[in-house]
Amino acid sequence: MPVPSCLRCEGELLVSQSDHGKDIEFFECPSCKRNYARHPDGALTYRWLHPVSLPLYAVLFERDPVTHARDVAGHFVRQHAAQEVTELVNEIELELNQPTQQIHKILDNPQSEEVCREFLRTFVACIRLEKQ
């Protein structure tokens, strides 16, 4: 399979990382330093621990993740420095406003793409309320 390009840096080829698994390949963008995973089906997503993945992990096993957005947001605000929360929100909003991938595939969330995106929109809104 050819080397993929960064989903954010137009035309920037990703660099393969040596810590890949049997079924998944990992990459890094030399320009923006975002990390990616190429799944067995060829889909390219952010790698685990990217800001988009963190709140999604908190609701991985929830049937209705949107109802948990306020609790997850509160946890993030209490457990992380203000600058970290701001960076997290900025990355999530970038993906929501300029979609590049199927975010439910990052962690293989069982919820639909639409539900995962709605959860993230609600999560960001709740973060903003928590910070007021």
Side-chain angles (χ1 to χ4, degrees), residues 49-114:
L49 293 181
H50 182 275
V52 170
S53 74
L54 298 176
L56 288 173
Y57 180 75
V59 295
L60 188 59
F61 301 107
E62 300 296 340
R63 287 185 179 212
D64 186 8
V66 177
T67 63
H68 298 276
R70 181 177 299 276
D71 291 337
V72 175
H75 173 79
F76 272 85
V77 169
R78 288 187 302 277
Q79 299 297 319
H80 296 85
Q83 182 62 33
E84 289 177 297
V85 173
T86 298
E87 291 169 7
L88 177 103
V89 166
N90 289 344
E91 275 295 306
I92 291 170
E93 287 183 321
L94 180 62
E95 179 59 32
L96 291 173
N97 295 330
Q98 299 171 18
T100 60
Q101 62 200 276
Q102 296 290 304
I103 61 169
H104 76 279
K105 286 187 150 199
I106 296 171
L107 300 168
D108 290 327
N109 281 65
Q111 305 93 351
S112 70
E113 181 68 11
E114 296 76 22

